Amino acid sequence: MISAVEIQSRIRQIAIIGNPNSGKTTLFNALTGLRQKVGNYPGVTVEKKEGQLCFHDGTEAVLVDLPGTYSFTPSSPDEQIATDILLGGSRYSNMPDLLICTVDASNLERNLYLVSQIIDRQIPAIVALNMMDVAEESGIRIDPMVLEEELGVQVIPTIGTTGMGIKELKQAIADNRHIPWRIRSWQLPAIVEEELDELVNLLEQRVDFDRPSALLEAVQLLSTNNGHTLHHSPLPPDVLDHVRKDRERLDFMEIDRQSVFVESRYRWIKQVCRAASKTTVRSGIPLNDRIDRLMVHRIWGYVIFLGMMGIVFQSVFTWAALPMEWIGAGFDEVGTVITTLMPPGELRELIVNGGLAGVSAVVTFLPQILFLFFFLGLLEDTGYMSRAAFIMDRLMSKVGLHGKSFVPLLSSFACAIPGIMATRTIENPRDRLVTMLVAPLMSCSARLPVYTLLIAAFVPSTMVLGFLSLSGLVLLVLYLLGMAAALTMAWLFKNTLLKGPPSIFIMELPPYRRPSLRSICLQMWERSKIFLREAGTFILGVSIVLWFLASHPRVEGASPAEQLKHSFAGQAGRLIEPVIKPLGFDWKIGIGLIASVLQREVFVSTMGTVYNIQDSNDDGVSLSLKEHLQQDIDPESGEPSFTLLTALCLMVYYMLAMQCLSTVAIMHRETNGWKWPLIQIAYMTLLAYGATFLVYRAGLLLGIGA
Amino acid sequence: MRTETPFQSGASIDRDKRLHRVKNETTSHTPLLDTPVKRDQHSMFSVAVLNPGDRATVCRIQATFPALRQRLMELGLITGTSIEVIRFAPFGDPMEIKVNGYRLSLRRKDARAIIVHMESP
């Protein structure tokens, strides 16, 4: 045990902390570059980012990017983790040896609030006075030397986007010059001061806190009505009794216990700011305000928003399709080469139809993820995302969601995987979870082949109102229904399973900034890596299992259709027939449903195999498959086994069911466990089954099935 | 300790509620009140009822739950802080305010917790 601690103590642990939007991540990237590792804090959905910091003398340190927080009073799991680590005694990490505290120079007052708490905690720290350029532009001049003097903490001015000050910051970290700590600089009204001192002493003696922790705990205890410490551990009864009497006394004096501490801190911060910074008022309307007038305009705001979303959607839906085709074609080519090189047999089949198909299924998602994260990075980095959330919030709040949920939901129209990955812009954990849970209900591009096949085969090509084709209309209705289902389920989740205290919607609207291409590229690289490593391996495994199920046990000399019918998948198709019969599906569709649990579009090719269509190109398959489906006769009743109603039911089923194990894999990764993916599969399957059943019954009553 | 402003909580809550209702009615274009509500310097309002461009000084934060109150105060909304209402989102919610040189977006129901008095123009 001791030796493990010793080993850890040899490598310096440095943590980077700061307010949201203070350029923390840009600074982290500038310090570590590509030497980063992204994981999860155990048991929570919060992401843990670690990087390596190399110094000139060859020594190294671990740099942890802590979640952004405004104070030590957390209001989300992200902030809770940051707070826990800084207060020590966290199960997630050791107390860092050194803190780098990013401070937005253009927003000094609010950023110094957290700094003042860090000073109280007495963790060795360096203040990175970031965004000096933004501050200068808005007429704020800060003297870092004076600020250092006032705070009693080393201050290094930086500009994260240009790299200014990074060298100096690194040097300061290496030097680790320690300025002796001051005793708490901020002053309280005399009565409160008295009570606080008394309580700090008591906590120090009775609960075994060091002095800085005792101070923070005492402030927390006096300003709230909680009966536990910041770590939620209970206090001894006599201490609790003392706290209760203190509270009563202060209440009797009509002192607002909550505000007195915050106000006293801010009073000191104002003094510091007055000494260290000068503000010159600029005349005229700043550029930022002029852009904002347009961006959140009641008409132009939405036009711009829709335009931007149009581009994002287009990129994921259409532009990404091209590289996806190349990837598909490339893997087909590799498959052909392997087929010619290797002798026929189990191993070749496994490699080509199991392994290679799996790898290809994984890699084809990459273009979508890259495109979406490029645009998301751009929207986030420029500061536009919070404006989009600002104008969309009213709409989303109707179903209990946050304005920021809109973009991930919209991207899910292309593919739920990048959509779910994009929910990380939502800070509130419950809102994020709800968004992830309903995202797969948005009709993604993988449903399109299924929709088009069934519409082409069974929906009559008539015109509605003279100019709208019925097939187009059906497609539109399917998309709208998917969206309606998503919003309804979101509302339902918010009011049942994920009901909780009202979420506080307070969001900063940061000034517009030039995006850092470096940060965006790093983010794209990081997301792709996570997807390939964590979802990819799962998808590959499932793909091999599915191949095995669809091709074993072997039937000698059988046609592909015969082989499939006698395989485990075929048997399973028959096995589940009683279950899917109420939906109007027969065992052939059952095979299709089972084979397409990994990817929905596999349904089309599986049906091709079931109906014994061989060796034709994609268009040929769907064309002749269309005819096969229309002509298929149920041997028992002698009636067509595939009707318009069957097609409608299948479309409704595919619209609502979780026929995408890749989504399950990414849910597992993003929620850090199996609980939520399983809940998602369960509710979506129930929803799909129920809705399809209703459609089938209603269809029979209306006589569509005949 | 700062002495409290002459309006004590009970009376001002009623006043806030009333003003909020009045505001809602005027924004929905009911011809009840053509003249703007008279605002002398000492009356207190909730930020949610102000108009874009209005400047005000925070008197106190009067939130229904402590977490919201704590967060608002930590963001700098404490007694004496000057704020400016920048705009309301197109459908009237959320609203954008300027505090200590930065912009915050908050829903009106949360903004109701911020009690201010008007600054003379």
Side-chain angles (χ1 to χ4, degrees), chain A residues 358-550:
Chain A
V359 174
S360 148
V362 173
V363 178
T364 41
F365 283 117
L366 269 191
Q368 293 185 328
I369 291 172
L370 288 172
F371 267 112
L372 185 63
F373 273 89
F374 174 74
F375 284 109
L376 279 184
L378 215 57
L379 295 182
E380 190 84 15
D381 249 31
T382 49
Y384 179 74
M385 193 67 103
S386 51
R387 270 74 182 185
F390 184 68
I391 60 171
M392 292 311 294
D393 187 61
R394 185 65 199 268
L395 191 73
M396 298 310 285
S397 69
K398 297 261 186 237
V399 292
L401 285 179
H402 187 287
K404 283 192 174 178
S405 297
F406 192 82
V407 175
L409 284 183
L410 192 84
S411 346
S412 299
F413 268 133
C415 179
I417 289 165
I420 286 172
M421 289 170 89
T423 57
R424 56 182 53 254
T425 53
I426 305 165
E427 288 94 359
N428 183 307
R430 267 182 299 129
D431 287 1
R432 181 169 173 224
L433 201 53
V434 171
T435 312
M436 285 196 282
L437 282 172
V438 301
L441 287 173
M442 309 298 265
S443 279
C444 67
S445 55
R447 286 166 170 107
L448 205 56
V450 181
Y451 290 166
T452 43
L453 167 75
L454 295 171
I455 288 175
F458 295 100
V459 175
S461 51
T462 48
M463 289 291 178
V464 182
L465 300 173
F467 64 98
L468 288 168
S469 81
L470 185 61
S471 357
L473 212 60
V474 171
L475 196 63
L476 181 71
V477 168
L478 284 170
Y479 272 82
L480 290 179
L481 278 178
M483 198 157 66
L487 293 179
T488 314
M489 285 313 294
W491 180 84
L492 220 66
F493 277 125
K494 275 298 270 198
N495 285 292
T496 55
L497 206 54
L498 288 158
K499 203 176 168 135
S503 52
I504 307 175
F505 176 84
I506 301 177
M507 179 180 65
E508 206 183 329
L509 296 167
Y512 291 104
R513 288 171 190 146
R514 206 173 331 111
S516 142
L517 203 61
R518 191 187 144 90
S519 275
I520 295 173
C521 290
L522 263 170
Q523 166 126 322
M524 288 162 69
W525 160 245
E526 215 167 68
R527 292 297 132 207
S528 313
K529 222 169 53 181
I530 288 173
F531 175 73
L532 287 182
R533 193 180 57 215
E534 288 171 53
T537 43
F538 177 80
I539 297 171
L540 180 63
V542 172
S543 168
I544 291 173
V545 170
L546 277 179
W547 161 78
F548 179 81
L549 290 180

Side-chain angles (χ1 to χ4, degrees), chain A residues 121-191:
Chain A
R121 183 67 191 84
Q122 306 218 335
I123 311 166
I126 298 172
V127 167
L129 190 58
N130 201 20
M131 304 193 183
M132 287 297 276
D133 50 341
V134 184
E136 297 261 333
E137 266 169 46
S138 50
I140 303 167
R141 291 190 72 92
I142 302 170
D143 187 339
M145 299 302 283
V146 179
L147 189 61
E148 185 168 315
E149 188 64 33
E150 291 287 324
L151 292 176
V153 178
Q154 195 176 1
V155 174
I156 313 275
T158 56
I159 303 174
T161 43
T162 63
M164 192 215 89
I166 299 297
K167 232 175 73 192
E168 289 81 355
L169 182 60
K170 244 178 158 172
Q171 192 55 48
I173 299 168
D175 294 348
N176 199 11
R177 176 166 66 93
H178 185 63
I179 303 173
W181 289 105
R182 303 198 182 153
I183 308 155
R184 175 164 61 84
S185 316
W186 48 286
Q187 302 295 317
L188 285 158
I191 310 161

Side-chain angles (χ1 to χ4, degrees), chain A residues 108 146 266-278:
Chain A
L108 198 56
V146 179
Y266 264 116
R267 206 170 303 129
W268 173 70
I269 291 168
K270 281 201 164 74
Q271 277 171 26
V272 172
C273 290
R274 225 174 290 136
S277 72
K278 258 197 207 82

Side-chain angles (χ1 to χ4, degrees), chain A residues 221-409:
Chain A
L221 284 170
L222 289 183
S223 64
T224 61
N225 288 323
N226 295 340
H228 48 69
T229 66
L230 285 163
H231 302 1
H232 296 276
S233 46
L235 289 166
D238 59 320
V239 177
L240 265 181
D241 208 45
H242 184 96
V243 169
R244 194 174 47 80
K245 277 185 192 140
D246 281 352
R247 285 174 182 162
E248 272 167 16
R249 208 167 312 145
L250 292 174
D251 286 344
F252 180 73
M253 310 283 290
E254 291 196 326
I255 288 171
D256 185 334
R257 287 188 280 112
Q258 203 177 7
S259 69
V260 73
F261 294 101
V262 183
E263 284 177 3
S264 303
R265 234 183 247 283
Y266 264 116
R267 206 170 303 129
W268 173 70
I269 291 168
K270 281 201 164 74
Q271 277 171 26
V272 172
C273 290
R274 225 174 290 136
S277 72
K278 258 197 207 82
T279 311
T280 43
V281 180
R282 297 277 165 104
S283 59
I285 304 159
L287 181 64
N288 198 64
D289 292 14
R290 274 182 300 193
I291 301 175
D292 249 356
R293 275 188 198 170
L294 194 65
M295 290 299 183
V296 299
H297 188 268
R298 62 184 67 236
I299 297 160
W300 295 117
Y302 289 101
V303 172
I304 292 168
F305 179 68
L306 283 179
M308 293 214 189
M309 287 303 104
I311 294 172
V312 173
F313 193 61
Q314 186 75 9
S315 76
V316 186
F317 205 81
T318 318
W319 302 347
L322 205 62
M324 283 166 81
E325 258 170 48
W326 296 338
I327 291 168
F331 276 101
D332 283 350
E333 201 58 39
V334 174
T336 327
V337 171
I338 293 176
T339 315
T340 50
L341 286 182
M342 283 182 71
E346 280 289 287
L347 188 63
R348 191 180 81 178
E349 289 279 295
L350 170 71
I351 291 175
V352 177
N353 294 335
L356 205 61
V359 174
S360 148
V362 173
V363 178
T364 41
F365 283 117
L366 269 191
Q368 293 185 328
I369 291 172
L370 288 172
F371 267 112
L372 185 63
F373 273 89
F374 174 74
F375 284 109
L376 279 184
L378 215 57
L379 295 182
E380 190 84 15
D381 249 31
T382 49
Y384 179 74
M385 193 67 103
S386 51
R387 270 74 182 185
F390 184 68
I391 60 171
M392 292 311 294
D393 187 61
R394 185 65 199 268
L395 191 73
M396 298 310 285
S397 69
K398 297 261 186 237
V399 292
L401 285 179
H402 187 287
K404 283 192 174 178
S405 297
F406 192 82
V407 175
L409 284 183

